[in-house]
Amino acid sequence: MLAPETQDFAPNEHHREDAQNPLANVLRFFNSMARRKWTMLAWLMLTTGLGAAYYTTATREYESSAELLLLHTGEGSIDQAQQSQRTLQDKVPTYKKVLVSEEVLKGALQHLPKQQRTAFLGMTKRSAINKIRAGLSVNSTRQTNLIQVSYRCEDPETAAIIVTKIMESFFNLMQETNKNSSQEMLVLLSRERENIQQQYQMKQNELLSLQAKSDSILGTGENILSVVNERVIELNKSLAQAQKETIDAQSFYFSVDRAIKNGEDLQQLLSQHNSAVASDLMKMGMGVDPRDAYAYARLQQQMLEDESRLSDKLNGKLGPNHPEIIELQGRIKTMKQWLASRAQQAIAGSDRLTKELGPRLLQMAKQRYEHAAMHEKDIFERFAEEKKLASGMNLRLVQIQMAERELQRLQADSDMNRERIKTLDLNQQTNLRTRITKHAEPNPAAVSPRLTVTMLMSIFAGLFFGAASVVVLDLLDDRFHSPDDLKAQLGAPVLAMIRDLPPLPAETGIDAIFTHTKPNSVETEAFRTLRTAIEFAGESCHRISVSSTEPSDGKTTVMSNTGVAFAQAGKRTLLIDGDMRRPGLTALFDLKGQQGLSTILRDSRPPSVSVVDNLVHTPLQNLDVIPAGPRPINPVELLTSDNFAELIAWAEVEYDQILIDAPPALAVTDPAVIGRLVDGVILTVRPDRNRRRMIIRAAESLTSFGANLIGVVVNRLDDSNGEYGYGYGYGYGYGYGHDAHDEPALQEEQIEQQKPRRKRFSRDDQSESRAA
């Protein structure tokens, strides 16, 4: 028995996520490589053979190398020595370029022995230099003064001699370059010192001339101070204060003038402007001495105290005729009369002030305004004059500062020049020191080709081209190669894998169903496994539709045997032949006639009534069949009618399991219509004849209409061979259900069962399935 994979039946979305898992894709790729191991082996043999041929026939190359140490010696402090060392490390790339320069290589070529010159016979000088440069390699170790010089050619002796001559040519070039460099540098520095001294003298004379013309400038350097600028700053402050006073005087003058013309109260105006002089004038005009203010306030306080005392005595049982009461009342009355007279006097004084003192106040405000304006004009004229003088003085100040900075720069250049001359004089004997730490010697071992590198490259190339071939072959081979491949591409689990069923003596009826005839055979276990998978599908799956990709895939065989397995388990099972175009289930049970599904759907009576006349009870207990009935012209219209939905609803009440035989998914839309009315759809595939694209299109045609694809059944397997290759061919096509011969689909399936098939599961897949 071929059992399904051991798995939980999760929703299709979960399996689609698994299909997008990179690890799963890598595992599938390695499975493809294992399946096409002979292709991989062929590429490995080819590349290793080519690698061996290259290693055998390639020209041997030998390499010789030397190591050069650069040192900078001389007297000086430790810090100077460290600085020199860092400077020398920074110059190592320069020395590397010198070693491969044309001048060094030309000198090495000229001093080669005659035996080694034969390798360059017939070449121009530039071609010979380029040939040496092509085999030359110059490297250095980071943060060191070591330079490695290597040369590679076909003769080990020649390689050692060329490296030696390159080192000698480099030494000669460095000695010629450094010869008399100290004297030449001293001459250059002396000329530079004279030039700096001349510039310094000129700039100093210019500074003295500017300082003589600027008597208002005090100090030097950063502390230069301009007296004119200071006066301008002070005048600017005085001008701002004068402008403020002018604005205040003008505002007061205009306010007094407007108040007099409009007859407004001058007292309120004076209180707003807070003018002490105007306030005194106001009091004098009203006849109020400023010194009387205290007496006036004291009198008001005394009157309030007497009123309080009078109230207390009246409440203290003293009558209105008591002498104290009469005295207090008289005193209070006198104070009130005096205060009232003073108030009238103040009102009269205010009117007199407006008439008599108003013009005097206006005259005072005008004089104040004119005085403030003249003071502001005087300060402004002085400010403009000083500012003009300061502009010229600032230009001279900038020139002085620039001259002083230039003198400082020239002084710094002079000090640096003096230090360089001093250092050069003290270290005339200092020079670059070089030493060969490793001499070039002939190396008898060839460096190219290397056996290890050649073999590794050959194996890598074989694996690469083999993997590329596997990818290309997988893209060109439009077939599924394993149950994992099916699950990954469709996003649905493989519910069962059914072997090729041997033929039975009976061709029709219940005896033609393998599960009924041979209930204890190995092949029957696959249908019981499918029954178990449906029962534990994770959700209610009492209404199942069985379809296929193409005709003759065995959907009728799978459905009928699964129905018998449900009936044998004690479940009331109903088989409905929904393929009204080419009814395979009807032909299997030999039920052609007027009874069937099309009659129920066209009947005007309710389906629960009409089904009584169209239901067939089989000899097997718990198994009933509704055949297809007479072929209708419009099967899709009948399936989309309310009668079909009511029929399924009636069957769901009467039966434990309902199985509907639907047409192939790629031929017509009937399976999608049926799939929307049932709990799930099972797709039957034959890997030996169904192409990958056809199976995927069939699954998509079902799910695109809202059908729930609960799984796939792989049919007609033959494990006698480990090969897992698919055949090709399907003839359902667009003429499905309208052929002139109307040959029963069951006979076509049985003919297909007897044909040899190329599709096989591998023994590994079979072992895994049996273990599951």
Side-chain angles (χ1 to χ4, degrees):
M1 176 189 68
L2 293 177
E5 305 170 66
T6 302
Q7 60 181 336
D8 296 329
F9 298 109
N12 293 340
E13 289 76 5
H14 175 72
H15 294 288
R16 291 189 178 94
E17 291 177 1
D18 292 343
Q20 298 175 357
N21 186 1
L23 180 59
N25 294 332
V26 172
L27 292 177
R28 282 195 296 274
F29 175 70
F30 280 112
N31 289 335
S32 298
M33 292 179 63
R35 187 172 59 252
R36 302 184 189 276
K37 54 182 175 295
W38 294 111
T39 302
M40 298 290 298
L41 184 60
W43 275 111
L44 284 173
M45 293 178 63
L46 176 62
T47 54
T48 51
L50 292 175
Y54 167 76
Y55 181 78
T56 304
T57 59
T59 303
R60 299 296 189 269
E61 291 186 354
Y62 302 89
E63 185 179 72
S64 180
S65 61
E67 195 170 68
L68 178 65
L69 175 64
L70 303 176
L71 295 175
H72 195 286
T73 61
E75 299 179 358
S77 63
I78 297 178
D79 294 337
Q80 292 177 346
Q82 293 178 350
Q83 181 65 31
S84 301
Q85 184 71 11
R86 287 193 294 268
T87 303
L88 186 60
Q89 291 177 1
D90 294 337
K91 292 182 179 180
V92 167
T94 303
Y95 294 126
K96 290 169 58 178
K97 290 185 178 295
V98 172
L99 281 166
V100 297
S101 64
E102 184 174 352
E103 190 68 23
V104 172
L105 298 183
K106 182 172 65 175
L109 189 63
Q110 291 175 352
H111 294 85
L112 282 178
K114 293 183 179 180
Q115 183 179 357
Q116 276 67 38
R117 287 188 181 182
T118 56
F120 303 97
L121 291 178
M123 293 185 180
T124 62
K125 183 179 293 184
R126 182 170 297 276
S127 300
I129 291 175
N130 291 335
K131 182 178 179 180
I132 294 177
R133 185 179 286 119
L136 183 63
S137 174
V138 179
N139 300 305
S140 62
T141 305
R142 184 177 176 85
Q143 301 297 328
T144 64
N145 300 339
L146 293 174
I147 299 178
Q148 296 84 25
V149 182
S150 304
Y151 185 76
R152 181 181 296 187
C153 66
E154 300 175 2
D155 180 37
E157 189 72 26
T158 301
I161 293 175
I162 289 178
V163 171
T164 302
K165 295 303 178 181
I166 289 175
M167 301 291 283
E168 293 176 356
S169 179
F170 172 75
F171 293 151
N172 295 333
L173 178 64
M174 296 303 297
Q175 289 178 358
E176 292 177 2
T177 303
N178 294 330
K179 187 177 181 180
N180 297 325
S181 60
S182 298
Q183 289 76 5
E184 294 176 0
M185 182 62 66
L186 183 60
V187 172
L188 293 175
L189 291 176
S190 300
R191 292 177 182 176
E192 182 180 356
R193 181 180 60 183
E194 294 177 358
N195 186 22
I196 292 174
Q197 289 177 351
Q198 292 177 1
Q199 294 181 8
Y200 186 85
Q201 187 65 36
M202 292 174 59
K203 189 59 65 175
Q204 191 174 28
N205 294 334
E206 179 183 351
L207 178 61
L208 293 174
S209 176
L210 289 172
Q211 289 176 347
K213 296 177 181 179
S214 305
D215 54 352
S216 298
I217 298 177
L218 303 177
T220 58
E222 299 295 334
N223 299 321
I224 292 180
L225 177 65
S226 174
V227 178
V228 178
N229 286 343
E230 293 298 324
R231 289 204 300 265
V232 169
I233 294 173
E234 292 298 330
L235 286 174
N236 186 32
K237 294 179 181 179
S238 300
L239 178 61
Q241 181 64 28
Q243 290 174 343
K244 181 177 181 300
E245 292 176 356
T246 303
I247 293 173
D248 292 341
Q250 183 185 21
S251 175
F252 180 69
Y253 170 66
F254 288 158
S255 299
V256 172
D257 184 51
R258 184 173 60 254
I260 293 173
K261 291 180 180 179
N262 297 333
E264 298 176 356
D265 187 6
L266 293 178
Q267 184 177 3
Q268 182 179 2
L269 176 63
L270 292 175
S271 63
Q272 291 177 353
H273 286 271
N274 196 17
S275 174
V277 177
S279 179
D280 292 341
L281 288 174
M282 176 65 70
K283 292 179 181 179
M284 292 172 62
M286 294 172 62
V288 178
D289 190 345
R291 292 170 293 180
D292 292 342
Y294 174 77
Y296 185 83
R298 184 73 182 87
L299 185 61
Q300 285 182 330
Q301 179 67 26
Q302 183 65 38
M303 185 184 67
L304 293 175
E305 292 177 356
D306 290 345
E307 287 179 347
S308 177
R309 190 179 300 113
L310 176 61
S311 177
D312 293 339
K313 289 183 178 294
L314 289 174
N315 294 330
K317 298 181 180 181
L318 293 180
N321 296 324
H322 195 276
E324 293 184 8
I325 300 298
I326 295 172
E327 182 184 358
L328 287 175
Q329 289 177 346
R331 188 166 31 187
I332 291 172
K333 180 178 180 181
T334 302
M335 285 189 288
K336 286 184 177 180
Q337 290 175 353
W338 188 84
L339 291 174
S341 64
R342 296 301 293 177
Q344 292 176 357
Q345 184 181 359
I347 295 173
S350 176
D351 295 337
R352 188 172 64 255
L353 176 64
T354 303
K355 295 178 181 179
E356 298 177 2
L357 299 182
R360 293 177 58 190
L361 184 61
L362 179 63
Q363 182 64 25
M364 292 176 61
K366 182 178 179 182
Q367 291 176 357
R368 178 188 173 193
Y369 168 58
E370 291 175 351
H371 176 73
M374 291 178 62
H375 182 63
E376 177 189 353
K377 181 179 178 182
D378 180 57
I379 294 178
F380 179 77
E381 291 176 353
R382 292 172 57 194
F383 175 75
E385 182 180 353
E386 294 293 339
K387 185 177 181 182
K388 182 177 179 181
L389 181 62
S391 297
M393 195 62 63
N394 287 338
L395 177 61
R396 213 171 277 125
L397 178 63
V398 171
Q399 293 175 349
I400 291 174
Q401 290 177 344
M402 292 177 61
E404 289 180 347
R405 283 196 291 268
E406 185 66 17
L407 282 175
Q408 291 175 0
R409 184 188 65 80
L410 291 173
Q411 184 64 41
D413 291 345
S414 178
D415 294 342
M416 185 181 297
N417 179 271
R418 184 169 58 255
E419 289 296 327
R420 292 176 64 184
I421 292 176
K422 181 179 179 181
T423 304
L424 187 64
D425 290 340
L426 293 175
N427 297 291
Q428 288 183 355
Q429 304 300 323
T430 301
N431 206 341
L432 179 69
R433 296 288 183 265
T434 58
R435 180 179 296 276
I436 298 178
T437 59
K438 177 185 176 183
H439 293 273
E441 296 179 357
N443 185 8
V447 295
S448 177
R450 295 181 179 179
L451 179 60
T452 304
V453 175
T454 303
M455 294 308 298
L456 288 177
M457 293 296 295
S458 301
I459 293 174
F460 176 78
L463 293 175
F464 174 77
F465 288 112
S469 300
V470 169
V471 172
V472 173
L473 291 174
D474 282 347
L475 292 176
L476 296 177
D477 187 6
D478 191 22
R479 292 171 294 179
F480 285 110
H481 296 279
S482 69
D484 290 336
D485 218 1
L486 268 170
K487 183 186 72 173
Q489 292 289 331
L490 301 183
V494 177
L495 301 178
M497 293 181 287
I498 301 172
R499 291 185 177 187
D500 189 11
L501 302 179
L504 296 174
E507 295 183 357
T508 59
I510 191 67
D511 293 333
I513 299 177
F514 204 90
T515 307
H516 174 72
T517 305
K518 296 183 178 182
N520 298 323
S521 64
V522 177
E523 291 80 0
T524 302
E525 282 300 318
F527 297 105
R528 294 196 180 99
T529 301
L530 177 58
R531 178 193 67 192
T532 304
I534 294 173
E535 290 176 343
F536 293 96
E539 59 183 34
S540 177
C541 292
H542 300 302
R543 302 170 298 177
I544 299 297
S545 172
V546 181
S547 182
S548 63
T549 304
E550 305 172 51
S552 303
D553 286 345
K555 61 180 178 61
T556 302
T557 302
V558 171
M559 192 203 74
S560 59
N561 281 274
T562 306
V564 171
F566 274 110
Q568 290 174 346
K571 290 192 175 184
R572 297 196 61 199
T573 306
L574 175 63
L575 305 181
I576 301 177
D577 193 349
D579 192 353
M580 292 180 286
R581 304 172 188 270
R582 300 180 66 179
L585 183 66
T586 302
L588 176 62
F589 284 93
D590 195 16
L591 297 176
K592 288 189 175 183
Q594 297 300 318
Q595 294 180 332
L597 179 63
S598 60
T599 303
I600 297 174
L601 299 182
R602 286 183 295 190
D603 197 346
S604 60
R605 296 177 298 172
S608 59
V609 178
S610 179
V611 73
V612 177
D613 300 331
N614 295 276
L615 183 65
V616 177
H617 300 284
T618 64
L620 179 62
Q621 187 179 2
N622 297 327
L623 182 64
D624 295 337
V625 178
I626 296 180
R631 175 183 297 173
I633 300 177
N634 52 350
V636 177
E637 284 76 2
L638 294 179
L639 293 174
T640 55
S641 64
D642 295 338
N643 287 342
F644 185 62
E646 293 177 3
L647 175 63
I648 295 178
W650 169 85
E652 188 176 9
V653 175
E654 298 294 332
Y655 292 90
D656 300 323
Q657 190 67 44
I658 304 168
L659 299 177
I660 302 176
D661 187 3
L666 292 181
V668 290
T669 59
D670 298 9
V673 174
I674 298 173
R676 297 184 61 182
L677 300 175
V678 296
D679 299 326
V681 179
I682 296 176
L683 183 64
T684 304
V685 298
R686 283 184 57 181
D688 63 329
R689 66 192 300 268
N690 297 147
R691 292 288 178 175
R692 182 193 302 262
R693 290 192 300 271
M694 297 295 105
I695 297 176
I696 294 175
R697 283 176 54 191
E700 290 178 349
S701 66
L702 293 172
T703 56
S704 62
F705 280 89
N708 177 26
L709 182 62
I710 62 174
V712 179
V713 174
V714 182
N715 191 29
R716 296 187 180 180
L717 301 178
D718 189 350
D719 58 356
S720 62
N721 195 321
E723 180 185 1
Y724 190 18
Y726 292 174
Y728 180 82
Y730 58 95
Y732 220 87
Y734 292 100
Y736 170 72
H738 299 283
D739 56 301
H741 303 286
D742 191 23
E743 181 182 358
L746 176 64
Q747 296 179 6
E748 186 177 346
E749 292 186 29
Q750 291 176 348
I751 293 173
E752 286 292 335
Q753 290 273 13
Q754 297 173 2
K755 291 182 180 180
R757 277 161 301 282
R758 295 170 53 209
K759 188 262 176 199
R760 307 285 194 279
F761 275 105
S762 66
R763 296 188 183 275
D764 293 339
D765 293 336
Q766 179 184 357
S767 301
E768 293 178 3
S769 301
R770 286 177 176 171

